[in-house]
Amino acid sequence: MSTPTTTRTSLDRTDPAGAVAAAAARCSNWGRWGDDDVKGTLNLVTDEHRRHAATLVRRGQPFSLAQPFDMDGPQKGWRRRTNPVHTMLDTGVEAELGDQGLPHGIGGADDVVSMPLQCSTQWDGLGHIFDHGRAWNGRRAAEVVTSAGDLVTGMETVASDFTGRGVLLDVGRHLGDTAHGELPDGFAILPEHLDATIAAQGPTSHVGPGDFLVVRTGQYGRTRREGWGEYAGGPAPGLSFTTVDWIHEHDVAAVATDTWGFEVRPNEFDAAFQPLHQVVIPHLGLFLGEMWALEELGADCARDGVYEFLLTAPPLPITGAVGSPINPVALK
Amino acid sequence: MSTPTTTRTSLDRTDPAGAVAAAAARCSNWGRWGDDDVKGTLNLVTDEHRRHAATLVRRGQPFSLAQPFDMDGPQKGWRRRTNPVHTMLDTGVEAELGDQGLPHGIGGADDVVSMPLQCSTQWDGLGHIFDHGRAWNGRRAAEVVTSAGDLVTGMETVASDFTGRGVLLDVGRHLGDTAHGELPDGFAILPEHLDATIAAQGPTSHVGPGDFLVVRTGQYGRTRREGWGEYAGGPAPGLSFTTVDWIHEHDVAAVATDTWGFEVRPNEFDAAFQPLHQVVIPHLGLFLGEMWALEELGADCARDGVYEFLLTAPPLPITGAVGSPINPVALK
Amino acid sequence: MSTPTTTRTSLDRTDPAGAVAAAAARCSNWGRWGDDDVKGTLNLVTDEHRRHAATLVRRGQPFSLAQPFDMDGPQKGWRRRTNPVHTMLDTGVEAELGDQGLPHGIGGADDVVSMPLQCSTQWDGLGHIFDHGRAWNGRRAAEVVTSAGDLVTGMETVASDFTGRGVLLDVGRHLGDTAHGELPDGFAILPEHLDATIAAQGPTSHVGPGDFLVVRTGQYGRTRREGWGEYAGGPAPGLSFTTVDWIHEHDVAAVATDTWGFEVRPNEFDAAFQPLHQVVIPHLGLFLGEMWALEELGADCARDGVYEFLLTAPPLPITGAVGSPINPVALK
Amino acid sequence: MSTPTTTRTSLDRTDPAGAVAAAAARCSNWGRWGDDDVKGTLNLVTDEHRRHAATLVRRGQPFSLAQPFDMDGPQKGWRRRTNPVHTMLDTGVEAELGDQGLPHGIGGADDVVSMPLQCSTQWDGLGHIFDHGRAWNGRRAAEVVTSAGDLVTGMETVASDFTGRGVLLDVGRHLGDTAHGELPDGFAILPEHLDATIAAQGPTSHVGPGDFLVVRTGQYGRTRREGWGEYAGGPAPGLSFTTVDWIHEHDVAAVATDTWGFEVRPNEFDAAFQPLHQVVIPHLGLFLGEMWALEELGADCARDGVYEFLLTAPPLPITGAVGSPINPVALK
């Protein structure tokens, strides 16, 4: 299939603020789960949903959807985001030399990591993005996230909530280039692209309430061949701003992509920065997964034609965190 | 039930090195999965095992088994282990004030963490402990873990391998004090205690190849009431050195406890440091989970009498890491 | 000399806010060096002052006034202040083993540090403390120090300004116990104590404009004998709130002590936290040195009777920092 | 003056190991200050030297020779060297909002830094470089620098030793391009270039025992105009390997440059890595300053024709550190 022309629905490229406000008005979930809610769309993942999701495990094969966490990552310092710095406190070298001061021949190695929570495969928490000073559920941003961290919706509040049915929509493979199944940078994935992918992939790809929607663009695979380039923050395929209603109507629990920023880059307005984030996080209460590694899973789904699986992607419950590094595991 | 007297099997308290060597000779898995193996006992977790584990999900209820990751943790600086330091790069306060330099009313918060990989709920990887300069599978410690990290058995090599059947043995509830179901510090859990707990808990508690054995002592619950005290490194209930054959014979994939160090503290020799680690990590190739939060899961299992579940505890694939902070999730 | 009774001047212990406001009104330097000023009392250190300070070097003997920066420090986690964590990226062990991948026999070691800027010997910068939301020179605190750091008075703005005449007032030795020359915790150093120490020490101890006033209480020496205890934040000897006018009148460039917090602890009000900071940093524009190691210098000054010296205490010019770890050097 | 042609003395470009060995044999200081020595060439800085250095302060004007420490630095991740990451624990924003939980209107800001000790303006300590597994004074590298840090020659051992007479040799201004006084990348500064610069600059530029030799190439100034480029590790002007005897004969206490790596890059052998380091650090016991900011000082010295000054460049006494970030201050 040749690369399709994106037929954009009518967006006024000069008015991102207006588009954000209108979308927020149409799709807001504020108050839907009570004024005290801290879980947003994760409320849609019920025990029954999880019970069903477990039945999707057919072969018992696990897929790690995390990129490697190391210095060879995509970060270049923007917003003080570095790649993870991993250092050793003790090593096997000293253990072998026997100079660790430990008895009866035991030796040990310990290590430390320092990293931005947004540097690699991750969840964006509900405290990560605000709209005009408002956080999820209408709270004042200044009362939610201070220098002490997220006092209300920190990742520790959703420590057990990231297990459920995952569905891979491999838009890259279905609409991208034939050689690698990759969408070009700047490609805006429209609602009709999502629907077309579901139709092409077949019945295991239906998307419904509480599902974890995983969208493969193929961009991460391209970086594996060609180098990171501007992966962190530069041009990328991604969800169009116009998918906001689709996301809201399908009532998914979360959306994850293999790109840095979930939505298409450059953004679809003349001067804008991540306008879809601005709607879905504070207004829908949606959790976003970014920088997921979907090459192996995508290939497997293409092989067996099964695009649903049990997904477990537990965040580190760092108190007050507005996001978390993760190692999502798909079990097919 | 009153607190039992630990009837220790015959250990020569003066000779930990001898005991380690003998146990290693009896229980070694070196070469069992090939000379190149990096997964140790995780080899025992087959697709079929995982497929079966998924069938254990009856209600769909998830339990996070992670302690909070924050400055109120147990670490006091020993071996340069600090508690996690979480700091913000941007906050909702600035977002609300509108001084983040971003367009159309979007605001954001980012954060950073710095932490030892062994500071809280974790997996010990195979590069964490050595015996007389030897690492898992007989490799030289100095060739496995250098200042550059674990070059052979880093956590990235087992990124997808921590999903399977979990079994909780709530030794604290079955042998500990009646008020809280907690074992006293220094209590050595013997093989017969494990067997007695299995018998008391019933058929969902059998332990077999590839299972993730989760042992609750209750000590973590005690710290929640009484403060950390010497939780990190001090006296604790835990597995007796004499369980090494039991662990080996049952061919479990991993063992996790709610204590700092898995094995009983003080150790069962006159002068020793973690001798059971010295056998099970380098010789069995066993992964150890430490500082797991088992209070909620323990209470639930006591309620419904079901002690098995689908466990997913994916490590962060930090390249070269000898351990990983984790948020294990039990799905019942 | 026996430990003196502190004769406190009239402080209304119930009204710290009133005392702060009155002192600020009496002693404010706002506008004194222009509306754009970022250097506060460092303006008092002129080239002529520094030229003269250099003439005080009589023997050429240097004294480092820094405490060791390591994990054996006083911090216990309050305000997320840890001790410095120093880790190696490469070591001599690997270099000796020759496995660093470097040519012709060269080997290397590199290292990393992670630390709060307030964890050990330090300068408090002008962005460190605010009074009712006001920073130095009357600026709004929210416009000076954000999550991006101190945008106005960051330590980089005073990178070259910490050289001048230092004067040691060894109040501990002159008013403390005879055995060690140490003031007891809770001892409030009053203006008359400062004057009495100057008189006792003789003519090299006069204090004037642009001088760096260094006050030894002896508490740090006590911790070297007895352990840190509550050094970081607990009871301590220190400057009385009532010294604010004395400090202002003498027009010193900075004041440094060998205690955690410069002023007496507990503070001299029923419920208070560092009220003297609240006046001297935002209203006087005074730089404070804390946790200086003064034992060796104090002993030397007692020996030769010379209490003045050339002081050089350059901060690390970390952009936007509100303080800096330092190694002050006194050259006598 | 036009850019000179470097007339290289006879170096066998194919044999760096031989050149290193020969230079080490000619210039070794092992044992010169005793077998226990940890100070190397800093032994040459006597009290009398420092006393004299203080007399060089003529105007009292200070110059900070540190580059800014922030994310806009030259590091790109090589050897896990990042730029400094500075984050806030509390800010003025929260202080102004009054939500810090502190009494009587006081507010505060705290901060944290995480950085490699070699990331910006620094001293290389004696534990930083080894020759065939040997550290300064002939010690075994593996016994000096382990994962626990430098156990012998850590920066804390020389905390008070970096004050003395500084001499600027502005080779860039005297031999470089006329527009900016900068040497081109790859320019090897030969002994005759040092002598010619001394001659051109006049009598305040003589270099002798215990002096801190500061060499300006101008490369740092070029990065200020043109961007960092490959400043960290790429081509650079710098000292030729052939200066080793000159350095040894002049018995300087330390040598500092405005480049990343002190010596010329590419190195003067076909396949080599910092061979001059390999001689001067482990064999001479010489401390090296790198990434110093010399533009302002250079311009001042050119103006007044005085190239000597009192230099104070105290390291942070991080226990076991093999280097230190510094803010050197020249007082003229």
Side-chain angles (χ1 to χ4, degrees):
Chain A
M1 179 182 297
S2 63
T3 300
T5 308
T6 296
T7 312
R8 295 172 190 275
T9 60
S10 60
L11 279 178
D12 178 352
R13 292 188 58 87
T14 67
D15 186 21
V20 165
R26 290 195 309 274
C27 301
S28 173
N29 283 325
W30 288 6
R32 181 174 174 185
W33 298 288
D35 290 346
D36 293 339
D37 180 67
V38 296
K39 296 195 175 186
T41 49
L42 292 176
N43 283 288
L44 297 161
V45 192
T46 62
D47 283 1
E48 171 54 26
H49 172 98
R50 278 181 286 256
R51 197 201 54 71
H52 170 70
T55 69
L56 304 176
V57 178
R58 294 163 171 99
R59 308 198 311 262
Q61 185 173 353
F63 297 86
S64 165
L65 309 182
Q67 298 182 13
F69 282 70
D70 57 38
M71 285 299 287
D72 298 324
Q75 303 300 335
K76 298 182 174 177
W78 178 73
R79 289 186 78 169
R80 282 175 286 170
R81 286 184 185 167
T82 63
N83 294 306
V85 180
H86 171 238
T87 59
M88 302 305 298
L89 294 166
D90 292 289
T91 71
V93 186
E94 281 105 4
E96 183 170 321
L97 294 176
D99 63 359
Q100 294 187 315
L102 297 173
H104 53 76
I106 193 173
D110 259 34
D111 40 8
V112 175
V113 75
S114 180
M115 63 178 168
L117 301 183
Q118 289 77 25
C119 65
S120 186
T121 308
Q122 81 193 265
W123 285 121
D124 284 354
L126 296 186
H128 181 53
I129 296 291
F130 315 102
D131 178 21
H132 289 87
R134 291 289 159 174
W136 161 240
N137 230 8
R139 297 183 183 96
R140 289 184 47 201
E143 293 179 346
V144 175
V145 184
T146 73
S147 291
D150 187 324
L151 308 175
V152 180
T153 47
M155 295 306 292
E156 76 279 11
T157 62
V158 286
S160 63
D161 294 294
F162 287 92
T163 297
R165 176 177 178 264
V167 186
L168 178 71
L169 296 193
D170 194 341
V171 185
R173 190 164 263 106
H174 289 284
L175 296 177
D177 70 298
T178 45
H180 301 103
E182 298 165 3
L183 298 174
D185 292 339
F187 184 93
I189 300 174
L190 302 175
E192 48 264 44
H193 296 142
L194 296 174
D195 289 331
T197 303
I198 292 172
Q201 292 185 172
T204 61
S205 302
H206 68 89
V207 175
D211 286 340
F212 290 80
L213 175 60
V214 181
V215 177
R216 181 183 170 278
T217 71
Q219 192 201 23
Y220 176 64
R222 188 156 61 240
T223 69
R224 300 300 75 202
R225 283 200 316 282
E226 302 180 358
W228 285 115
E230 299 298 317
Y231 182 78
L239 294 193
S240 165
F241 185 84
T242 62
T243 59
V244 61
D245 297 273
W246 194 99
I247 291 169
H248 184 238
E249 287 158 12
H250 285 75
D251 253 352
V252 293
V255 182
T257 66
D258 55 353
T259 62
W260 166 82
F262 158 70
E263 53 188 299
V264 62
R265 302 271 298 162
N267 301 124
E268 299 155 292
F269 297 90
D270 293 339
F273 184 72
Q274 304 297 74
L276 186 52
H277 277 69
Q278 191 177 349
V279 180
V280 296
I281 293 181
H283 292 285
L284 274 70
L286 184 73
F287 288 79
L288 299 183
E290 292 167 338
M291 294 194 249
W292 290 32
L294 302 175
E295 295 307 287
E296 189 186 359
L297 179 66
D300 184 84
C301 292
R303 258 191 306 272
D304 75 356
V306 178
Y307 289 86
E308 63 186 347
F309 42 84
L310 176 67
L311 179 75
T312 307
L316 286 186
I318 297 171
T319 305
V322 299
S324 179
I326 47 172
N327 176 6
V329 173
L331 192 57
K332 289 189 66 175
Chain B
M1 180 181 296
S2 63
T3 301
T5 307
T6 296
T7 311
R8 294 172 191 275
T9 61
S10 59
L11 278 178
D12 178 353
R13 293 187 59 85
T14 67
D15 187 20
V20 165
R26 290 195 310 274
C27 302
S28 173
N29 283 325
W30 288 5
R32 180 175 174 185
W33 298 289
D35 289 345
D36 292 341
D37 180 67
V38 297
K39 295 195 175 187
T41 49
L42 291 175
N43 284 290
L44 298 161
V45 192
T46 62
D47 283 1
E48 171 54 26
H49 172 98
R50 279 181 286 256
R51 196 203 53 73
H52 170 69
T55 68
L56 303 177
V57 178
R58 294 163 171 98
R59 307 198 311 262
Q61 185 173 353
F63 297 86
S64 165
L65 309 183
Q67 297 182 14
F69 282 69
D70 58 37
M71 285 298 287
D72 298 324
Q75 303 299 335
K76 296 182 174 179
W78 177 74
R79 292 185 76 169
R80 282 175 287 169
R81 286 185 184 165
T82 63
N83 294 305
V85 179
H86 172 238
T87 59
M88 302 305 299
L89 293 166
D90 291 289
T91 72
V93 185
E94 281 105 5
E96 184 170 321
L97 293 176
D99 62 0
Q100 294 187 313
L102 297 173
H104 52 75
I106 193 173
D110 258 32
D111 38 10
V112 175
V113 77
S114 180
M115 62 178 169
L117 301 182
Q118 290 77 24
C119 67
S120 187
T121 308
Q122 81 194 264
W123 285 120
D124 283 353
L126 296 186
H128 182 52
I129 296 290
F130 315 102
D131 178 22
H132 289 85
R134 291 288 158 173
W136 162 239
N137 230 9
R139 297 183 182 94
R140 289 184 47 200
E143 293 178 346
V144 176
V145 185
T146 72
S147 291
D150 188 324
L151 308 174
V152 179
T153 48
M155 296 306 292
E156 77 279 10
T157 62
V158 287
S160 64
D161 293 293
F162 289 91
T163 298
R165 178 177 177 262
V167 185
L168 178 70
L169 296 194
D170 194 341
V171 185
R173 190 164 264 104
H174 289 284
L175 296 177
D177 70 296
T178 45
H180 301 104
E182 297 166 2
L183 299 174
D185 291 340
F187 183 93
I189 300 173
L190 302 175
E192 49 264 43
H193 296 143
L194 297 174
D195 289 331
T197 303
I198 292 171
Q201 291 185 171
T204 61
S205 302
H206 68 89
V207 174
D211 285 341
F212 291 80
L213 174 61
V214 181
V215 177
R216 181 184 170 276
T217 70
Q219 192 201 24
Y220 176 62
R222 188 156 62 241
T223 68
R224 300 299 75 202
R225 285 199 316 281
E226 301 179 1
W228 286 115
E230 299 299 317
Y231 182 78
L239 293 194
S240 166
F241 185 83
T242 62
T243 59
V244 61
D245 297 272
W246 193 102
I247 292 170
H248 184 238
E249 287 157 13
H250 285 74
D251 253 353
V252 292
V255 182
T257 67
D258 56 353
T259 62
W260 165 82
F262 159 68
E263 52 188 298
V264 62
R265 301 273 298 164
N267 301 123
E268 300 154 292
F269 298 90
D270 293 339
F273 183 70
Q274 304 296 73
L276 186 52
H277 278 69
Q278 191 176 348
V279 180
V280 297
I281 292 181
H283 292 284
L284 275 69
L286 184 73
F287 288 80
L288 299 183
E290 292 168 337
M291 295 193 248
W292 291 32
L294 302 175
E295 295 307 286
E296 190 185 358
L297 178 65
D300 185 83
C301 293
R303 256 193 308 272
D304 74 358
V306 178
Y307 290 85
E308 62 184 350
F309 42 85
L310 175 67
L311 179 74
T312 306
L316 286 185
I318 298 171
T319 305
V322 299
S324 178
I326 48 172
N327 176 7
V329 172
L331 192 58
K332 288 187 66 177
Chain C
M1 180 182 298
S2 63
T3 301
T5 307
T6 297
T7 311
R8 293 172 192 275
T9 60
S10 59
L11 279 178
D12 178 352
R13 291 188 60 86
T14 67
D15 187 20
V20 165
R26 291 195 308 274
C27 301
S28 172
N29 283 325
W30 288 4
R32 180 174 173 185
W33 298 289
D35 289 346
D36 293 340
D37 181 66
V38 296
K39 296 196 175 186
T41 49
L42 291 175
N43 284 289
L44 298 160
V45 192
T46 61
D47 282 1
E48 170 54 26
H49 172 98
R50 278 181 287 256
R51 196 202 55 71
H52 169 69
T55 68
L56 303 177
V57 179
R58 294 164 171 98
R59 308 198 309 262
Q61 185 173 354
F63 297 86
S64 164
L65 309 183
Q67 299 181 13
F69 281 69
D70 57 40
M71 285 297 287
D72 298 324
Q75 302 299 336
K76 298 182 174 178
W78 178 74
R79 291 185 78 168
R80 282 176 285 169
R81 287 184 185 166
T82 63
N83 294 306
V85 179
H86 171 239
T87 59
M88 301 305 299
L89 293 166
D90 292 289
T91 71
V93 186
E94 281 105 4
E96 183 171 321
L97 294 176
D99 63 359
Q100 294 187 315
L102 298 174
H104 52 74
I106 192 173
D110 258 33
D111 40 9
V112 175
V113 77
S114 180
M115 63 178 168
L117 301 183
Q118 290 76 26
C119 67
S120 186
T121 308
Q122 82 194 264
W123 285 120
D124 284 354
L126 296 186
H128 182 52
I129 296 291
F130 316 102
D131 178 21
H132 289 86
R134 291 289 160 173
W136 161 241
N137 230 11
R139 296 183 183 97
R140 288 184 48 200
E143 294 179 345
V144 175
V145 185
T146 73
S147 291
D150 187 325
L151 308 174
V152 180
T153 47
M155 295 306 294
E156 78 278 10
T157 61
V158 286
S160 63
D161 293 294
F162 288 91
T163 297
R165 177 178 177 261
V167 185
L168 178 70
L169 296 193
D170 195 340
V171 185
R173 190 165 262 106
H174 289 283
L175 295 178
D177 70 297
T178 44
H180 301 103
E182 296 166 4
L183 298 174
D185 291 341
F187 185 93
I189 299 173
L190 302 175
E192 48 263 45
H193 297 143
L194 297 174
D195 289 331
T197 303
I198 292 171
Q201 291 184 173
T204 61
S205 304
H206 67 89
V207 174
D211 287 340
F212 290 80
L213 174 61
V214 181
V215 177
R216 181 184 169 277
T217 70
Q219 193 202 21
Y220 177 62
R222 187 155 62 239
T223 69
R224 300 298 77 200
R225 283 199 316 280
E226 302 179 0
W228 286 114
E230 299 298 317
Y231 182 77
L239 294 194
S240 165
F241 185 85
T242 63
T243 59
V244 60
D245 298 274
W246 193 100
I247 291 169
H248 184 239
E249 288 158 12
H250 286 75
D251 253 352
V252 292
V255 182
T257 67
D258 55 355
T259 63
W260 166 82
F262 160 67
E263 53 189 297
V264 63
R265 301 273 298 165
N267 301 124
E268 300 156 291
F269 298 89
D270 293 339
F273 184 71
Q274 303 296 75
L276 185 52
H277 277 70
Q278 191 176 350
V279 180
V280 297
I281 293 181
H283 292 285
L284 275 69
L286 184 73
F287 288 79
L288 299 183
E290 290 167 338
M291 295 194 248
W292 290 32
L294 302 175
E295 295 306 286
E296 188 186 358
L297 178 66
D300 184 85
C301 293
R303 256 192 309 273
D304 75 356
V306 177
Y307 290 85
E308 63 185 347
F309 42 85
L310 175 66
L311 180 75
T312 306
L316 286 186
I318 298 171
T319 305
V322 299
S324 178
I326 48 171
N327 177 7
V329 173
L331 192 57
K332 288 187 65 174
Chain D
M1 181 182 296
S2 63
T3 301
T5 306
T6 295
T7 310
R8 293 172 192 274
T9 59
S10 59
L11 278 177
D12 178 353
R13 291 188 60 86
T14 68
D15 187 20
V20 165
R26 290 196 308 274
C27 302
S28 173
N29 284 325
W30 287 5
R32 179 173 174 186
W33 299 288
D35 289 346
D36 293 339
D37 181 66
V38 296
K39 295 196 175 186
T41 48
L42 291 175
N43 283 290
L44 298 161
V45 193
T46 62
D47 282 2
E48 171 54 26
H49 173 99
R50 279 182 286 258
R51 196 201 56 69
H52 170 68
T55 68
L56 304 177
V57 178
R58 295 164 171 97
R59 308 198 311 263
Q61 186 173 353
F63 297 85
S64 166
L65 309 183
Q67 298 181 13
F69 281 70
D70 58 38
M71 286 298 286
D72 298 324
Q75 303 299 335
K76 296 182 175 179
W78 177 74
R79 292 186 77 168
R80 284 174 287 169
R81 287 184 183 165
T82 63
N83 295 305
V85 180
H86 172 238
T87 60
M88 302 304 299
L89 294 166
D90 292 288
T91 71
V93 185
E94 282 105 4
E96 183 170 321
L97 293 176
D99 63 0
Q100 294 187 314
L102 298 173
H104 52 75
I106 192 173
D110 259 32
D111 39 10
V112 175
V113 78
S114 180
M115 63 177 169
L117 301 183
Q118 289 78 25
C119 66
S120 186
T121 308
Q122 81 195 266
W123 285 121
D124 283 353
L126 296 187
H128 182 52
I129 295 291
F130 314 103
D131 178 21
H132 289 84
R134 293 287 159 174
W136 161 238
N137 229 10
R139 297 184 183 94
R140 289 184 46 201
E143 293 179 347
V144 175
V145 185
T146 74
S147 291
D150 187 324
L151 308 175
V152 180
T153 46
M155 295 306 293
E156 76 279 10
T157 63
V158 286
S160 63
D161 293 293
F162 288 92
T163 298
R165 176 175 177 264
V167 186
L168 178 71
L169 297 193
D170 194 342
V171 185
R173 190 164 263 105
H174 289 284
L175 297 177
D177 71 296
T178 44
H180 301 104
E182 296 166 4
L183 299 174
D185 291 341
F187 184 94
I189 300 174
L190 302 175
E192 50 263 45
H193 296 142
L194 296 175
D195 289 331
T197 304
I198 292 172
Q201 291 185 171
T204 61
S205 303
H206 68 90
V207 175
D211 286 341
F212 290 80
L213 173 61
V214 181
V215 177
R216 182 183 169 278
T217 70
Q219 191 201 26
Y220 176 63
R222 188 155 62 240
T223 69
R224 299 300 75 202
R225 283 198 316 281
E226 301 178 1
W228 286 116
E230 299 299 316
Y231 181 78
L239 294 195
S240 166
F241 185 83
T242 62
T243 59
V244 60
D245 297 273
W246 193 100
I247 292 169
H248 184 239
E249 288 158 12
H250 286 75
D251 253 352
V252 293
V255 182
T257 67
D258 55 354
T259 64
W260 165 83
F262 159 69
E263 53 188 299
V264 62
R265 301 272 298 162
N267 300 124
E268 299 155 293
F269 297 90
D270 293 338
F273 184 70
Q274 303 296 73
L276 185 53
H277 277 69
Q278 191 176 347
V279 180
V280 296
I281 293 181
H283 292 284
L284 275 70
L286 184 73
F287 288 80
L288 299 183
E290 292 168 337
M291 294 194 248
W292 290 33
L294 301 176
E295 295 307 288
E296 190 187 358
L297 178 66
D300 184 85
C301 293
R303 256 193 309 272
D304 74 359
V306 178
Y307 290 84
E308 63 185 347
F309 42 84
L310 176 66
L311 178 76
T312 306
L316 286 186
I318 297 171
T319 305
V322 300
S324 178
I326 48 172
N327 177 6
V329 173
L331 192 57
K332 288 187 66 175

